[in-house]
Amino acid sequence: MTAELVRGQNHTLPQTRLEIRVSAGTPVVAGATLGDERGTVHGVEWIAHPGSPQLPGLEVSKQAAADHRLAVDLDAVPAAVHRVTVLLALPMEAGGPVRFGAVAAPFVAVTGLDGTEIATFTLTGLDAESAVAALELYRRQGAWKVRAVGQGYAGGLAAMLADQGVTAAAELARSIHEAVARGLARSVAPPPPRTPEGDRVRQSAPAGDPAPAATPQADPEPSRPAAVTGPTTAPGSSSATGPINYAHPRRQAAAPPPPPPTAPPAEPGRPARPVAGDATGWSMEERLYNQVWGMFEDLARTTAAYRSAVDFAESRMDQELDRALSDPRNRIGGAGDRAREAARAKRDELTARAREALDRDLAQLAAESAVVEPALPAAFAGWDNPVWHAYRVPMELPMALRIGDLHLPESTGLRIPLLVRLPLERGIWVDSGRTASEAAASTDTDRLRRLATENAVAHAARLLAVHPAHEFSVHVIDPAGSAVVALAPLVNSGVLAGPPAAGAGGVASVLARLTRRVDLVQMAIRAGATDSLPPDLDTAEQLLIVNDFPHGFDDRAVTQLRYLADEGPSVGVHLLMVADREDASAYGPVLDPLWRSLLRITPVADDHLADPWVGHAWTYEPLRTPPGSRVLEQVLAQVAAARRTGRRP
């Protein structure tokens, strides 16, 4: 059965040799890009277009045409390729359309070599865009899937290529349009008509007609933001005549190795069993990091697909009701009631099918989470993970640190670790204000401030724990001494660089010392004289915990704090602030850049972390130590012992 996709939905590909058929009703340029796990295109040799129509496992049309057939052999694409994105663009010809909103909605079909449709997608909702990423084929746990993308670009082909990481995108787009202008448009046979289940005239589909949600799977493959910085293999060359040779004479196997084949083979008709480390990477740590981010994006996309399907079902019901009730004959008797019942029944059916797909995807993600969580290293693990009982001070800095968990309303039981890269690229602000969320508003002010300070202490402890001994220093500013109890684990263990600074004098002293460090390191880097730093300068990463801001801060201190927030991260000085923005309202917009420069988290659950990628508001859950556990104190004791001995305990 053909899967009729809507934007964001996915479908498993039953085979790897495919045709992608495009019907646009007007001449368009068709091309494709090869991307890595993050969707990044690593050069012009990863792009198939009319001027260079062949790549390993991929061939596109040589001219602009109203209909295209793209040949794809996914078994033949290079191992470093994880995505094949199909691109459409309007040619830059005089008198031709300049935006997709002025032409019929393009129709794309993924078919087998025999013409059997596997999945289809009508690109509705386009307006000022002159280029669009229509769909993408991607790897997911060893299998290939197709996703309906429909991402348009008003900036044209250049903007679309630049969004995929192509350098000199404008020059490449210009050369593609020049190659199209030199050729003559050719047309190919249109896609075969649909089976007798229903006829469809593809070229005449109106631009605003929504595609029906049939039975696509909503199991998304994320654009996993891998932290791989090594070189990747470039696609090979191919011959224009005879059998295609997919081998490159100078090909180097420099891409990250694929995950080890430790997963048992899946039973026919069942998804593959999840395995910890099922992602590419040079080490298990990197594979787990990529897998966690993949789970995050899986959940984001499958939830977006579910919400889109529900919205479509509601919209379809409203349209059917409007059509039924617009006929005066249906307003009398039972015809109107029957129309309403039929429309609601169809809505309920579509919603139920979307929920079934979502539940299936959530079950697979939950199974993956169940095997990934126990395998996480200490830096990625929660405080309740047994890995902390075997903790030893590390010799190397990990690539990321867990600072909390994320979840969505559709799956409150599924928690995704929130990982931030190390070294920190921005400071952290623990919001102690009661106006932050409903949960904060219902919490007593004193308790909320205590939770915020305890949360900051826990983050500082984790940062100390994941850094090698003597490579991370923590300073504390507590002007009124209101955090004595919460700071006790840090103070009693002896891991602080000095006693918590109190009063205006203490605030000024700490800020002056850290500001001096930032200035000296910046000057040394600019002058290329990092070996000339004063011997008394602590070159370790520095963390400044500021409690109860802005109490104890004068105008000079506020200026220094803003300077540290802006300039500190690049030279290893980071802020961890515990503050209520309302307390600093007297400064007005002066402090707006400070708040924007910090990553805001909360001491209680709050859905404030926005996801502009798919429009979700994620609920953040802070990490907490298990009740009665002394894991935090034990970890800090080991850090302090390692600092005293100068070696791993």
Side-chain angles (χ1 to χ4, degrees):
M1 180 179 178
T2 303
E4 298 181 0
L5 306 180
V6 295
R7 186 175 285 106
Q9 291 183 314
N10 308 266
H11 186 71
T12 301
L13 294 173
Q15 58 201 74
T16 55
R17 299 189 66 187
L18 309 162
E19 276 191 350
I20 298 175
R21 304 185 177 190
V22 179
S23 296
T26 189
V28 297
V29 180
T33 61
L34 304 180
D36 59 16
E37 279 200 331
R38 294 172 291 177
T40 302
V41 179
H42 288 275
V44 295
E45 67 274 13
W46 286 50
I47 305 173
H49 56 83
S52 178
Q54 291 182 334
L55 291 181
L58 180 63
E59 183 174 2
V60 303
S61 306
K62 295 182 179 180
Q63 291 101 1
D67 301 288
H68 294 269
R69 288 186 181 180
L70 285 63
V72 180
D73 184 356
L74 296 173
D75 289 333
V77 300
V81 172
H82 287 260
R83 293 196 200 181
V84 179
T85 304
V86 177
L87 314 176
L88 304 178
L90 292 171
M92 298 175 62
E93 57 181 357
V98 296
R99 61 187 186 92
F100 275 108
V103 300
F107 175 85
V108 184
V110 180
T111 74
L113 297 184
D114 60 354
T116 303
E117 290 184 350
I118 299 170
T120 63
F121 176 40
T122 302
L123 284 75
T124 60
L126 298 177
D127 186 12
E129 299 88 345
S130 59
V132 60
L135 53 79
E136 63 183 9
L137 315 177
Y138 59 93
R139 299 183 200 258
R140 172 60 175 160
Q141 295 184 345
W144 284 90
K145 294 187 178 183
V146 57
R147 176 187 301 117
V149 180
Q151 176 63 56
Y153 294 84
L157 191 58
M160 180 165 53
L161 294 174
D163 192 43
Q164 297 190 34
V166 179
T167 57
E171 291 79 0
L172 177 58
R174 189 180 307 112
S175 68
I176 293 174
H177 285 299
E178 290 174 355
V180 171
R182 288 193 298 267
L184 295 176
R186 65 186 175 104
S187 61
V188 299
R194 193 173 177 178
T195 58
E197 297 176 4
D199 295 329
R200 176 174 53 214
V201 181
R202 282 147 188 174
Q203 287 87 343
S204 61
D209 186 23
T215 56
Q217 296 183 8
D219 176 24
E221 161 62 9
S223 56
R224 304 195 172 194
V228 181
T229 56
T232 56
T233 55
S237 60
S238 60
S239 173
T241 61
I244 299 176
N245 178 17
Y246 295 124
H248 195 292
R250 297 180 300 277
R251 183 172 179 177
Q252 299 177 355
T262 56
E267 300 177 14
R270 288 180 168 271
R273 296 182 184 178
V275 176
D278 185 18
T280 59
W282 295 101
S283 64
M284 176 57 85
E285 179 193 39
E286 187 176 20
R287 291 198 293 269
L288 286 169
Y289 172 81
N290 291 338
Q291 187 173 13
V292 167
W293 273 109
M295 292 164 58
F296 167 80
E297 295 182 350
D298 274 353
L299 181 56
R301 277 201 172 104
T302 194
T303 304
Y306 168 73
R307 294 178 180 178
S308 175
V310 171
D311 290 343
F312 172 77
E314 294 286 346
S315 174
R316 174 172 176 162
M317 181 188 70
D318 292 341
Q319 292 175 8
E320 291 179 350
L321 289 176
D322 289 342
R323 284 195 297 268
L325 298 179
S326 63
D327 187 348
R329 294 171 296 180
N330 292 335
R331 300 174 188 173
I332 303 174
D337 293 337
R338 288 192 295 272
R340 279 190 288 268
E341 291 175 1
R344 289 171 182 147
K346 187 62 177 178
R347 186 270 315 271
D348 294 342
E349 178 190 354
L350 293 175
T351 302
R353 285 160 57 186
R355 185 70 211 193
E356 181 182 356
L358 175 66
D359 290 341
R360 182 177 63 249
D361 299 335
L362 293 180
Q364 187 173 351
L365 280 171
E368 187 173 9
S369 177
V371 299
V372 169
E373 279 285 355
L376 295 177
F380 299 178
W383 286 115
D384 56 349
N385 194 308
V387 70
W388 287 105
H389 297 299
Y391 168 77
R392 294 292 182 271
V393 177
M395 300 295 290
E396 296 181 353
L397 180 69
M399 63 187 304
L401 178 73
R402 185 174 185 168
I403 63 170
D405 292 333
L406 299 174
H407 67 82
L408 291 171
E410 289 84 355
S411 53
T412 56
L414 180 59
R415 300 292 202 270
I416 305 297
L418 174 58
L419 304 178
V420 295
R421 291 298 299 268
L422 293 178
L424 294 173
E425 298 178 355
R426 59 192 300 200
I428 298 175
W429 163 32
V430 184
D431 191 349
S432 61
R434 295 190 65 197
T435 59
S437 65
E438 292 183 6
S442 61
T443 306
D444 177 77
T445 301
D446 293 338
R447 182 172 182 272
L448 191 64
R449 293 181 184 273
R450 176 176 57 81
L451 289 174
T453 309
E454 292 175 351
N455 190 257
V457 169
H459 288 310
R462 292 178 72 87
L463 285 164
L464 284 163
V466 302
H467 280 78
H470 305 292
E471 292 190 14
F472 196 80
S473 298
V474 178
H475 310 262
V476 175
I477 289 178
D478 186 21
S482 59
V484 173
V485 176
L487 292 170
L490 296 176
V491 175
N492 297 339
S493 62
V495 295
L496 294 179
V507 171
S509 176
V510 172
L511 292 176
R513 189 161 60 249
L514 292 177
T515 301
R516 172 179 176 267
R517 182 193 181 281
V518 171
D519 290 339
L520 291 176
V521 174
Q522 282 186 338
M523 288 189 292
I525 292 174
R526 291 172 185 148
T530 55
D531 55 348
S532 302
L533 290 169
D536 64 331
L537 189 74
D538 185 3
T539 57
E541 296 280 313
Q542 308 287 314
L543 177 71
L544 173 60
I545 302 176
V546 179
N547 182 55
D548 217 11
F549 176 81
H551 299 297
F553 281 72
D554 55 19
D555 290 345
R556 175 180 173 81
V558 169
T559 301
Q560 289 177 314
L561 191 69
R562 286 186 54 188
Y563 176 74
L564 293 178
D566 293 338
E567 304 294 334
S570 63
V571 290
V573 177
H574 314 283
L575 290 183
L576 177 53
M577 293 184 58
V578 180
D580 178 0
R581 189 168 182 172
E582 292 296 320
D583 291 343
S585 59
Y587 287 92
V590 173
L591 289 181
D592 286 350
L594 173 65
W595 305 122
R596 287 195 297 265
S597 69
L598 303 173
L599 172 62
R600 174 178 171 262
I601 59 178
T602 53
V604 293
D606 182 28
D607 60 351
H608 70 281
L609 288 179
D611 179 3
W613 180 41
V614 289
H616 296 329
W618 291 80
T619 297
Y620 168 81
E621 290 272 2
L623 295 176
R624 302 194 189 282
T625 57
S629 172
R630 296 190 57 81
V631 61
L632 191 145
E633 289 80 1
Q634 293 168 0
V635 168
L636 290 176
Q638 290 209 41
V639 173
R643 294 186 171 197
R644 287 192 299 268
T645 60
R647 56 181 176 83
R648 290 181 66 182

PDB file of all heavy atoms in Angstrom, residues 132-157:
ATOM      1  N   VAL A 132      13.257  24.155  -3.020  1.00  0.00           N
ATOM      2  CA  VAL A 132      12.673  23.381  -1.926  1.00  0.00           C
ATOM      3  C   VAL A 132      13.417  22.062  -1.790  1.00  0.00           C
ATOM      4  O   VAL A 132      13.794  21.433  -2.783  1.00  0.00           O
ATOM      5  CB  VAL A 132      11.159  23.141  -2.171  1.00  0.00           C
ATOM      6  CG1 VAL A 132      10.925  22.389  -3.465  1.00  0.00           C
ATOM      7  CG2 VAL A 132      10.523  22.408  -1.006  1.00  0.00           C
ATOM      8  N   ALA A 133      13.673  21.667  -0.543  1.00  0.00           N
ATOM      9  CA  ALA A 133      14.154  20.318  -0.239  1.00  0.00           C
ATOM     10  C   ALA A 133      12.919  19.431  -0.133  1.00  0.00           C
ATOM     11  O   ALA A 133      12.154  19.533   0.832  1.00  0.00           O
ATOM     12  CB  ALA A 133      14.955  20.312   1.057  1.00  0.00           C
ATOM     13  N   ALA A 134      12.686  18.607  -1.136  1.00  0.00           N
ATOM     14  CA  ALA A 134      11.424  17.880  -1.233  1.00  0.00           C
ATOM     15  C   ALA A 134      11.345  16.737  -0.237  1.00  0.00           C
ATOM     16  O   ALA A 134      10.414  16.641   0.554  1.00  0.00           O
ATOM     17  CB  ALA A 134      11.226  17.366  -2.654  1.00  0.00           C
ATOM     18  N   LEU A 135      12.292  15.836  -0.299  1.00  0.00           N
ATOM     19  CA  LEU A 135      12.300  14.703   0.623  1.00  0.00           C
ATOM     20  C   LEU A 135      13.724  14.229   0.796  1.00  0.00           C
ATOM     21  O   LEU A 135      14.640  14.651   0.081  1.00  0.00           O
ATOM     22  CB  LEU A 135      11.377  13.570   0.131  1.00  0.00           C
ATOM     23  CG  LEU A 135      11.539  13.021  -1.290  1.00  0.00           C
ATOM     24  CD1 LEU A 135      12.699  12.059  -1.402  1.00  0.00           C
ATOM     25  CD2 LEU A 135      10.260  12.319  -1.721  1.00  0.00           C
ATOM     26  N   GLU A 136      13.926  13.348   1.777  1.00  0.00           N
ATOM     27  CA  GLU A 136      15.257  12.801   1.998  1.00  0.00           C
ATOM     28  C   GLU A 136      15.161  11.316   2.311  1.00  0.00           C
ATOM     29  O   GLU A 136      14.209  10.854   2.943  1.00  0.00           O
ATOM     30  CB  GLU A 136      15.986  13.543   3.122  1.00  0.00           C
ATOM     31  CG  GLU A 136      15.338  13.452   4.486  1.00  0.00           C
ATOM     32  CD  GLU A 136      16.072  14.274   5.529  1.00  0.00           C
ATOM     33  OE1 GLU A 136      16.966  15.042   5.145  1.00  0.00           O
ATOM     34  OE2 GLU A 136      15.751  14.140   6.716  1.00  0.00           O
ATOM     35  N   LEU A 137      16.139  10.592   1.833  1.00  0.00           N
ATOM     36  CA  LEU A 137      16.316   9.186   2.162  1.00  0.00           C
ATOM     37  C   LEU A 137      17.436   9.115   3.191  1.00  0.00           C
ATOM     38  O   LEU A 137      18.469   9.759   3.033  1.00  0.00           O
ATOM     39  CB  LEU A 137      16.689   8.385   0.917  1.00  0.00           C
ATOM     40  CG  LEU A 137      15.872   8.671  -0.353  1.00  0.00           C
ATOM     41  CD1 LEU A 137      16.414   7.860  -1.516  1.00  0.00           C
ATOM     42  CD2 LEU A 137      14.404   8.378  -0.128  1.00  0.00           C
ATOM     43  N   TYR A 138      17.247   8.348   4.247  1.00  0.00           N
ATOM     44  CA  TYR A 138      18.224   8.366   5.329  1.00  0.00           C
ATOM     45  C   TYR A 138      18.332   6.988   5.972  1.00  0.00           C
ATOM     46  O   TYR A 138      17.433   6.167   5.907  1.00  0.00           O
ATOM     47  CB  TYR A 138      17.829   9.390   6.402  1.00  0.00           C
ATOM     48  CG  TYR A 138      16.485   9.129   7.025  1.00  0.00           C
ATOM     49  CD1 TYR A 138      16.379   8.384   8.190  1.00  0.00           C
ATOM     50  CD2 TYR A 138      15.311   9.606   6.450  1.00  0.00           C
ATOM     51  CE1 TYR A 138      15.139   8.134   8.773  1.00  0.00           C
ATOM     52  CE2 TYR A 138      14.087   9.362   7.013  1.00  0.00           C
ATOM     53  CZ  TYR A 138      14.000   8.625   8.177  1.00  0.00           C
ATOM     54  OH  TYR A 138      12.784   8.362   8.754  1.00  0.00           O
ATOM     55  N   ARG A 139      19.492   6.752   6.592  1.00  0.00           N
ATOM     56  CA  ARG A 139      19.733   5.500   7.290  1.00  0.00           C
ATOM     57  C   ARG A 139      19.158   5.583   8.699  1.00  0.00           C
ATOM     58  O   ARG A 139      19.292   6.594   9.371  1.00  0.00           O
ATOM     59  CB  ARG A 139      21.232   5.200   7.409  1.00  0.00           C
ATOM     60  CG  ARG A 139      21.985   5.045   6.105  1.00  0.00           C
ATOM     61  CD  ARG A 139      23.427   4.686   6.424  1.00  0.00           C
ATOM     62  NE  ARG A 139      24.330   4.957   5.320  1.00  0.00           N
ATOM     63  CZ  ARG A 139      24.807   4.023   4.508  1.00  0.00           C
ATOM     64  NH1 ARG A 139      24.445   2.771   4.693  1.00  0.00           N
ATOM     65  NH2 ARG A 139      25.640   4.341   3.534  1.00  0.00           N
ATOM     66  N   ARG A 140      18.603   4.469   9.148  1.00  0.00           N
ATOM     67  CA  ARG A 140      18.114   4.377  10.524  1.00  0.00           C
ATOM     68  C   ARG A 140      18.336   2.958  11.013  1.00  0.00           C
ATOM     69  O   ARG A 140      17.684   2.037  10.562  1.00  0.00           O
ATOM     70  CB  ARG A 140      16.629   4.756  10.596  1.00  0.00           C
ATOM     71  CG  ARG A 140      15.988   4.495  11.963  1.00  0.00           C
ATOM     72  CD  ARG A 140      16.665   5.277  13.049  1.00  0.00           C
ATOM     73  NE  ARG A 140      15.983   5.123  14.306  1.00  0.00           N
ATOM     74  CZ  ARG A 140      16.511   5.366  15.487  1.00  0.00           C
ATOM     75  NH1 ARG A 140      17.761   5.802  15.572  1.00  0.00           N
ATOM     76  NH2 ARG A 140      15.830   5.206  16.601  1.00  0.00           N
ATOM     77  N   GLN A 141      19.333   2.784  11.904  1.00  0.00           N
ATOM     78  CA  GLN A 141      19.646   1.482  12.471  1.00  0.00           C
ATOM     79  C   GLN A 141      19.850   0.433  11.382  1.00  0.00           C
ATOM     80  O   GLN A 141      19.300  -0.665  11.407  1.00  0.00           O
ATOM     81  CB  GLN A 141      18.564   1.041  13.454  1.00  0.00           C
ATOM     82  CG  GLN A 141      18.465   1.919  14.687  1.00  0.00           C
ATOM     83  CD  GLN A 141      17.450   1.429  15.697  1.00  0.00           C
ATOM     84  OE1 GLN A 141      16.616   0.587  15.378  1.00  0.00           O
ATOM     85  NE2 GLN A 141      17.519   1.942  16.911  1.00  0.00           N
ATOM     86  N   GLY A 142      20.657   0.805  10.393  1.00  0.00           N
ATOM     87  CA  GLY A 142      21.004  -0.124   9.341  1.00  0.00           C
ATOM     88  C   GLY A 142      20.006  -0.210   8.211  1.00  0.00           C
ATOM     89  O   GLY A 142      20.282  -0.869   7.202  1.00  0.00           O
ATOM     90  N   ALA A 143      18.840   0.418   8.330  1.00  0.00           N
ATOM     91  CA  ALA A 143      17.822   0.386   7.286  1.00  0.00           C
ATOM     92  C   ALA A 143      17.649   1.792   6.713  1.00  0.00           C
ATOM     93  O   ALA A 143      18.044   2.784   7.319  1.00  0.00           O
ATOM     94  CB  ALA A 143      16.498  -0.130   7.849  1.00  0.00           C
ATOM     95  N   TRP A 144      17.045   1.864   5.525  1.00  0.00           N
ATOM     96  CA  TRP A 144      16.806   3.149   4.876  1.00  0.00           C
ATOM     97  C   TRP A 144      15.334   3.509   4.981  1.00  0.00           C
ATOM     98  O   TRP A 144      14.463   2.647   4.884  1.00  0.00           O
ATOM     99  CB  TRP A 144      17.216   3.091   3.405  1.00  0.00           C
ATOM    100  CG  TRP A 144      18.691   3.146   3.192  1.00  0.00           C
ATOM    101  CD1 TRP A 144      19.551   2.086   3.123  1.00  0.00           C
ATOM    102  CD2 TRP A 144      19.493   4.321   3.026  1.00  0.00           C
ATOM    103  NE1 TRP A 144      20.831   2.520   2.926  1.00  0.00           N
ATOM    104  CE2 TRP A 144      20.838   3.893   2.859  1.00  0.00           C
ATOM    105  CE3 TRP A 144      19.212   5.680   2.999  1.00  0.00           C
ATOM    106  CZ2 TRP A 144      21.876   4.784   2.668  1.00  0.00           C
ATOM    107  CZ3 TRP A 144      20.255   6.577   2.810  1.00  0.00           C
ATOM    108  CH2 TRP A 144      21.564   6.128   2.647  1.00  0.00           C
ATOM    109  N   LYS A 145      15.087   4.790   5.144  1.00  0.00           N
ATOM    110  CA  LYS A 145      13.725   5.313   5.207  1.00  0.00           C
ATOM    111  C   LYS A 145      13.633   6.571   4.352  1.00  0.00           C
ATOM    112  O   LYS A 145      14.647   7.157   3.951  1.00  0.00           O
ATOM    113  CB  LYS A 145      13.323   5.634   6.651  1.00  0.00           C
ATOM    114  CG  LYS A 145      13.233   4.411   7.555  1.00  0.00           C
ATOM    115  CD  LYS A 145      12.668   4.779   8.915  1.00  0.00           C
ATOM    116  CE  LYS A 145      12.529   3.539   9.803  1.00  0.00           C
ATOM    117  NZ  LYS A 145      11.917   3.866  11.102  1.00  0.00           N
ATOM    118  N   VAL A 146      12.395   6.996   4.090  1.00  0.00           N
ATOM    119  CA  VAL A 146      12.154   8.235   3.366  1.00  0.00           C
ATOM    120  C   VAL A 146      11.367   9.161   4.274  1.00  0.00           C
ATOM    121  O   VAL A 146      10.475   8.725   5.004  1.00  0.00           O
ATOM    122  CB  VAL A 146      11.384   7.975   2.045  1.00  0.00           C
ATOM    123  CG1 VAL A 146      10.070   7.267   2.298  1.00  0.00           C
ATOM    124  CG2 VAL A 146      11.142   9.296   1.296  1.00  0.00           C
ATOM    125  N   ARG A 147      11.709  10.437   4.250  1.00  0.00           N
ATOM    126  CA  ARG A 147      11.006  11.439   5.035  1.00  0.00           C
ATOM    127  C   ARG A 147      10.535  12.554   4.109  1.00  0.00           C
ATOM    128  O   ARG A 147      11.300  13.033   3.265  1.00  0.00           O
ATOM    129  CB  ARG A 147      11.907  12.026   6.114  1.00  0.00           C
ATOM    130  CG  ARG A 147      11.245  13.150   6.909  1.00  0.00           C
ATOM    131  CD  ARG A 147      12.206  13.846   7.859  1.00  0.00           C
ATOM    132  NE  ARG A 147      12.772  12.928   8.800  1.00  0.00           N
ATOM    133  CZ  ARG A 147      14.074  12.648   8.881  1.00  0.00           C
ATOM    134  NH1 ARG A 147      14.909  13.225   8.046  1.00  0.00           N
ATOM    135  NH2 ARG A 147      14.525  11.802   9.769  1.00  0.00           N
ATOM    136  N   ALA A 148       9.299  12.984   4.267  1.00  0.00           N
ATOM    137  CA  ALA A 148       8.780  14.143   3.546  1.00  0.00           C
ATOM    138  C   ALA A 148       9.290  15.401   4.246  1.00  0.00           C
ATOM    139  O   ALA A 148       9.034  15.606   5.426  1.00  0.00           O
ATOM    140  CB  ALA A 148       7.257  14.110   3.525  1.00  0.00           C
ATOM    141  N   VAL A 149      10.016  16.238   3.519  1.00  0.00           N
ATOM    142  CA  VAL A 149      10.624  17.433   4.120  1.00  0.00           C
ATOM    143  C   VAL A 149       9.808  18.672   3.761  1.00  0.00           C
ATOM    144  O   VAL A 149       9.233  19.328   4.607  1.00  0.00           O
ATOM    145  CB  VAL A 149      12.085  17.580   3.673  1.00  0.00           C
ATOM    146  CG1 VAL A 149      12.709  18.833   4.300  1.00  0.00           C
ATOM    147  CG2 VAL A 149      12.898  16.356   4.061  1.00  0.00           C
ATOM    148  N   GLY A 150       9.792  19.056   2.484  1.00  0.00           N
ATOM    149  CA  GLY A 150       9.008  20.210   2.060  1.00  0.00           C
ATOM    150  C   GLY A 150       9.504  21.535   2.594  1.00  0.00           C
ATOM    151  O   GLY A 150       8.728  22.469   2.770  1.00  0.00           O
ATOM    152  N   GLN A 151      10.820  21.652   2.839  1.00  0.00           N
ATOM    153  CA  GLN A 151      11.392  22.894   3.355  1.00  0.00           C
ATOM    154  C   GLN A 151      11.735  23.817   2.196  1.00  0.00           C
ATOM    155  O   GLN A 151      12.626  23.522   1.401  1.00  0.00           O
ATOM    156  CB  GLN A 151      12.646  22.596   4.174  1.00  0.00           C
ATOM    157  CG  GLN A 151      13.384  23.832   4.669  1.00  0.00           C
ATOM    158  CD  GLN A 151      12.549  24.659   5.623  1.00  0.00           C
ATOM    159  OE1 GLN A 151      12.083  24.166   6.631  1.00  0.00           O
ATOM    160  NE2 GLN A 151      12.364  25.931   5.299  1.00  0.00           N
ATOM    161  N   GLY A 152      11.016  24.937   2.079  1.00  0.00           N
ATOM    162  CA  GLY A 152      11.245  25.863   0.980  1.00  0.00           C
ATOM    163  C   GLY A 152      12.218  26.969   1.351  1.00  0.00           C
ATOM    164  O   GLY A 152      12.443  27.269   2.529  1.00  0.00           O
ATOM    165  N   TYR A 153      12.785  27.616   0.317  1.00  0.00           N
ATOM    166  CA  TYR A 153      13.773  28.675   0.520  1.00  0.00           C
ATOM    167  C   TYR A 153      13.458  29.829  -0.426  1.00  0.00           C
ATOM    168  O   TYR A 153      13.529  29.681  -1.665  1.00  0.00           O
ATOM    169  CB  TYR A 153      15.187  28.169   0.250  1.00  0.00           C
ATOM    170  CG  TYR A 153      15.644  27.122   1.239  1.00  0.00           C
ATOM    171  CD1 TYR A 153      15.314  25.775   1.055  1.00  0.00           C
ATOM    172  CD2 TYR A 153      16.376  27.469   2.365  1.00  0.00           C
ATOM    173  CE1 TYR A 153      15.710  24.808   1.956  1.00  0.00           C
ATOM    174  CE2 TYR A 153      16.785  26.505   3.275  1.00  0.00           C
ATOM    175  CZ  TYR A 153      16.447  25.185   3.068  1.00  0.00           C
ATOM    176  OH  TYR A 153      16.850  24.231   3.979  1.00  0.00           O
ATOM    177  N   ALA A 154      13.090  30.967   0.162  1.00  0.00           N
ATOM    178  CA  ALA A 154      12.830  32.148  -0.657  1.00  0.00           C
ATOM    179  C   ALA A 154      14.112  32.655  -1.294  1.00  0.00           C
ATOM    180  O   ALA A 154      14.078  33.332  -2.320  1.00  0.00           O
ATOM    181  CB  ALA A 154      12.183  33.240   0.198  1.00  0.00           C
ATOM    182  N   GLY A 155      15.258  32.331  -0.692  1.00  0.00           N
ATOM    183  CA  GLY A 155      16.547  32.734  -1.246  1.00  0.00           C
ATOM    184  C   GLY A 155      17.014  31.864  -2.387  1.00  0.00           C
ATOM    185  O   GLY A 155      18.119  32.074  -2.903  1.00  0.00           O
ATOM    186  N   GLY A 156      16.211  30.889  -2.786  1.00  0.00           N
ATOM    187  CA  GLY A 156      16.535  30.084  -3.944  1.00  0.00           C
ATOM    188  C   GLY A 156      17.529  28.979  -3.674  1.00  0.00           C
ATOM    189  O   GLY A 156      17.803  28.585  -2.531  1.00  0.00           O
ATOM    190  N   LEU A 157      18.099  28.478  -4.756  1.00  0.00           N
ATOM    191  CA  LEU A 157      19.020  27.348  -4.697  1.00  0.00           C
ATOM    192  C   LEU A 157      20.245  27.664  -3.844  1.00  0.00           C
ATOM    193  O   LEU A 157      20.739  26.807  -3.105  1.00  0.00           O
ATOM    194  CB  LEU A 157      19.434  26.962  -6.118  1.00  0.00           C
ATOM    195  CG  LEU A 157      20.193  25.653  -6.307  1.00  0.00           C
ATOM    196  CD1 LEU A 157      19.399  24.475  -5.773  1.00  0.00           C
ATOM    197  CD2 LEU A 157      20.528  25.451  -7.778  1.00  0.00           C
TER     198      LEU A 157
END
